Amino acid sequence: MLDPSATPNSPIEAQPTIGLIGMGAMGRMYATYLSEGGWKKIHVCDIPSKYEEIKAEYAGVPGITVLPDGHRVSRTSDFIVYSVEAEYIDRVVAEYGPSTKVGAIVSAQTSVKAPERAAFEKHLPEDVYIVSCHSLHGPTVSPHGQPLVLIKHRAPDWALTLVENIFLPFRSRHVYMSYDEHDLVTANTQAVTHAAFLSMGTAWASAKEYPWENTPYVGGIENVKVNIMLRIYSNKWHVYAGLAILNPSARVQIAQYARSATELFKLMLAADEKALRERVYKAREKVFSADYGGANAHNGRVPSPGARTPILLSEDTLDKFSLAAPPSPGSSRPRSPKAKANSHLSLLAMVDCWAHLGINPFLHLELAATPIFRMWIGVAEYLFRSRARLDAALNAALYDVTHRSDDLEFVVAARGWAQCVAFGSFELYKDRFGETAGFFRARFEDAVRVGSAMIQAIMESSPSL
Ligand SMILES: NC(=O)C1=CN([C@@H]2O[C@H](COP(=O)(O)OP(=O)(O)OC[C@H]3O[C@@H](n4cnc5c(N)ncnc54)[C@H](OP(=O)(O)O)[C@@H]3O)[C@@H](O)[C@H]2O)C=CC1
Ligand SMILES: O=C(O)C(=O)Cc1ccc(O)cc1
C-alpha cells in the first residue's frame, strides 16, 4: 500500500492521462465535458468488439484516444473512471483492475457503491488509490450546478484535489461522502422515487391508458408525473435495476413505499375517513413541519419548508410542458380541466413512506438531490402544503369511486416492483421494465425533449436550489 504521508504532493504531471472504461451514456458524457474542458490526454474504451466503431466516431475529437480494451486504458492512465453496468462491475474490475498503473487513482460512476467498493477492494492492486464519484443526474442533463459525489476511500489528500481539478469542467457541486453514506442517501432519494414512477408507468400501461390523453388528469403537476415517468422508462433498465437491487437499504425503502400504498388504499376502500385523515395529516406534520426531527435530520440544519420558495412553478406554467397533441391552428387548447380532483395515491404513499422511515427529503434536497428527486419533492409539497388541495385529494380518494380502478392498478404495480426488488432478480426487473417501456416507447423522444425543458425551467425558477 502506498503511504499517503510519503506523497504529500501529487506525483502526477499537470496533464494527467484520464482513462474512461465504458463508453455508454455516462462514459460519453464524461468524455465530452473533459475534452471540451481542455484535457488533452483522455484514453477511452468500451468492450473490444466496439473498438473500431468508437474509434471512427471519436476520430478528430480533441484529446480523445480510443483504445481496444480496459487493459490498455488501465496501464496508461493516471485517473481511471469505470462507467459500466453495476451488475458487471465485479467482473470488469476483476479483468482490468490488475492492469492499473502503479500510483494511479481509480474511480467509478456506479449508482450503487456496495458492489463497486467490494470489487475495488478485492481486485485492485494495493499500490493504487481509490477516489470514487457519482454524478447525480442522467446523461442528458447538463452537469453544471448538479451534485457530483466524491468518495475519498483509499487515498491521500492530493489525490482528491487532483480528482476535483480534473472534474472542474463539469462545474458540478462537489458533495463529499463515504461509500456507506452514499448508498443510504441514494436509497432514500433515488431508489424509492424511481419505485414511485415505475409504479405509475406500470399502472398506466396495465390500464392501457396514455395519461396525457386522460383529460380529467391532464395538466399542472400531472405533467411533471408523466414527463418524469417517461424519462425514467426511456433510460437504461439496468441503471434502475442496479441501484435498487444491489443497494441493501433500497429494498427497505421500496418495500415501505408499497406497504404505504397498500395500507392507504385499504383505508380508502373501507371509506375509513377518520383513520385515513389521521394517518395522512400525521405524515404531513412529520415531513413538512418546520421543526421536524426525523432520524435523518442533522443537528437542526433542516431548512424550514415554509421558509423556502416552493420548488415547482405555477400550474399554469407547468401546463406548457404537456405531451398532449397541440391544438389545431386557429383554435386554442382549452385550459386543462383541473376541477376533478385526483386521489394522488402515489403522493400520499410517498409522504407516508418518508414519515414511516424517518426520511427528511428536504435535507437530501439541500445536499444530494437528483433532478428527478427534486421534481418529486416539488410535486409532493405542492399537494401537501395546501390543506385545501390535500383535502380535495382525500375526498376524492374516499368518495369518488371513479379513481378506484387506477388506484388498484397502482397498488398492484407498486407491490410488483417491491417484490421484484426483494427477489433481487435482474431478469424479472428487465422484463417488467421492458413491458411498460414498450407501451410508451413512441413518446420517448418527445418526453425527453419536453422533460428537459421542464427541468430547466424549474431549475431556473428556483436559483436557490
Ligand atoms: N444513465 C444514468 O442516468 C446514470 C448512470 N450511472 C451509472 O453509470 C454506469 C453506466 O451507466 P450508463 O452509461 O447509463 O450505461 P450504458 O449501458 O449506457 O453504458 C455502460 C457501458 O459499459 C460497457 N461495458 C460493459 N462491460 C465493459 C467492459 N468489460 N469494458 C468496457 N466497457 C464495458 C457497456 O457495453 P455493453 O452495452 O456491451 O454491455 C456499455 O457501453 C452505471 O453503473 C450506472 O448506474 C450514474 C449516473 C447516471
Ligand atoms: O435523476 C434520477 O434519479 C435519474 O433517474 C437519473 C439518474 C440515474 C442514475 C443515477 O445514478 C443518477 C441519476
Side-chain angles (χ1 to χ4, degrees):
M1 179 79 173
L2 289 180
D3 174 11
S5 62
T7 53
N9 297 307
S10 168
I12 294 171
E13 57 178 288
Q15 268 293 336
T17 302
I18 303 166
L20 302 178
I21 297 179
M23 284 294 278
M26 292 305 284
R28 281 161 191 268
M29 185 191 84
Y30 270 44
T32 301
Y33 279 92
L34 293 169
S35 160
E36 288 175 2
W39 292 114
K40 296 193 171 20
K41 291 189 275 180
I42 306 164
H43 290 182
V44 308
C45 75
D46 201 273
I47 51 172
S49 60
K50 294 192 210 151
Y51 170 54
E52 293 299 341
E53 180 193 330
I54 297 178
K55 196 164 95 168
E57 196 185 332
Y58 281 89
V61 178
I64 295 190
T65 305
V66 180
L67 297 176
D69 61 36
H71 291 296
R72 314 295 214 289
V73 171
S74 294
R75 290 181 58 190
T76 56
S77 303
D78 302 302
F79 173 56
I80 298 144
V81 185
Y82 287 84
S83 299
V84 302
E85 295 88 333
E87 193 186 358
Y88 303 154
I89 189 81
D90 182 75
R91 201 178 74 200
V92 179
V93 177
E95 190 173 359
Y96 304 133
S99 298
T100 310
K101 181 175 167 180
V102 175
I105 305 163
V106 185
S107 194
Q109 181 58 235
T110 339
S111 305
V112 50
K113 296 301 185 187
E116 170 195 310
R117 175 188 182 164
F120 281 175
E121 289 178 349
K122 188 162 166 204
H123 304 299
L124 289 179
E126 292 210 324
D127 54 10
V128 308
Y129 301 116
I130 301 170
V131 178
S132 201
C133 67
H134 184 190
S135 287
L136 292 183
H137 56 88
T140 58
V141 171
S142 159
H144 298 176
Q146 298 294 343
L148 168 60
V149 174
L150 295 177
I151 299 169
K152 176 162 117 43
H153 179 62
R154 192 176 88 186
D157 289 344
W158 65 257
L160 177 64
T161 308
L162 183 75
V163 173
E164 288 169 332
N165 287 339
I166 287 173
F167 285 144
L168 280 180
F170 291 12
R171 293 199 274 139
S172 291
R173 181 168 54 81
H174 295 169
V175 179
Y176 303 91
M177 289 182 196
S178 68
Y179 267 135
D180 288 343
E181 284 165 346
H182 171 280
D183 280 357
L184 183 59
V185 167
T186 53
N188 286 348
T189 54
Q190 290 192 277
V192 71
T193 300
H194 297 155
F197 285 103
L198 291 168
S199 304
M200 282 179 224
T202 300
W204 282 317
S206 303
K208 307 239 172 310
E209 200 177 276
Y210 291 112
W212 52 89
E213 289 171 359
N214 187 358
T215 41
Y217 298 139
V218 169
I221 59 168
E222 299 301 331
N223 284 348
V224 182
K225 286 188 192 169
V226 171
N227 291 340
I228 298 218
M229 178 279 291
L230 288 171
R231 203 177 173 79
I232 286 175
Y233 277 106
S234 68
N235 204 342
K236 303 257 169 59
W237 70 272
H238 71 74
V239 173
Y240 301 104
L243 68 83
I245 291 175
L246 299 175
N247 184 336
S249 303
R251 289 177 196 202
V252 177
Q253 332 294 46
I254 293 167
Q256 178 58 50
Y257 184 67
R259 201 173 307 122
S260 290
T262 309
E263 289 172 5
L264 292 173
F265 185 60
K266 283 182 183 168
L267 294 176
M268 293 171 189
L269 285 182
D272 191 342
E273 177 166 354
K274 184 165 175 292
L276 182 67
R277 280 193 195 282
E278 257 173 38
R279 182 159 172 165
V280 171
Y281 291 156
K282 205 167 135 196
R284 176 185 194 237
E285 176 66 18
K286 206 165 174 198
V287 174
F288 291 95
S289 74
D291 59 354
Y292 168 76
N296 287 337
H298 286 204
N299 308 324
R301 287 200 307 112
V302 186
S304 153
R308 278 183 316 96
T309 312
I311 295 168
L312 290 186
L313 310 163
S314 70
E315 284 231 29
D316 287 341
T317 313
L318 293 176
D319 279 353
K320 288 185 201 138
F321 302 105
S322 167
L323 288 180
S328 51
S331 69
S332 62
R333 188 183 317 157
R335 178 90 177 61
S336 312
K338 291 190 205 67
K340 187 168 162 59
N342 186 342
S343 59
H344 286 303
L345 179 55
S346 62
L347 283 169
L348 300 181
M350 190 68 255
V351 174
D352 187 81
C353 169
W354 283 332
H356 269 79
L357 294 171
I359 292 174
N360 180 354
F362 294 98
L363 178 67
H364 293 311
L365 182 68
E366 258 206 337
L367 298 178
T370 65
I372 287 180
F373 179 65
R374 192 182 298 287
M375 306 292 124
W376 190 221
I377 301 183
V379 176
E381 77 169 344
Y382 180 83
L383 180 68
F384 276 79
R385 264 191 186 217
S386 155
R387 177 73 182 255
R389 279 188 208 118
L390 185 58
D391 282 347
L394 290 176
N395 282 336
L398 285 159
Y399 303 118
D400 182 349
V401 291
T402 62
H403 297 296
R404 292 282 155 81
S405 60
D406 286 344
D407 287 345
L408 173 67
E409 291 287 9
F410 182 78
V411 171
V412 172
R415 292 286 288 267
W417 279 111
Q419 196 176 48
C420 169
V421 170
F423 287 172
S425 166
F426 277 86
E427 275 311 302
L428 179 58
Y429 197 106
K430 183 179 179 189
D431 290 347
R432 285 183 64 94
F433 193 98
E435 191 163 310
T436 297
F439 181 73
F440 290 114
R441 185 153 287 121
R443 299 310 302 272
F444 283 167
E445 215 181 304
D446 292 342
V448 169
R449 186 177 38 76
V450 174
S452 296
M454 184 186 77
I455 289 174
Q456 192 65 26
I458 292 172
M459 294 289 178
E460 283 167 8
S461 76
S462 43
S464 60
L465 294 173

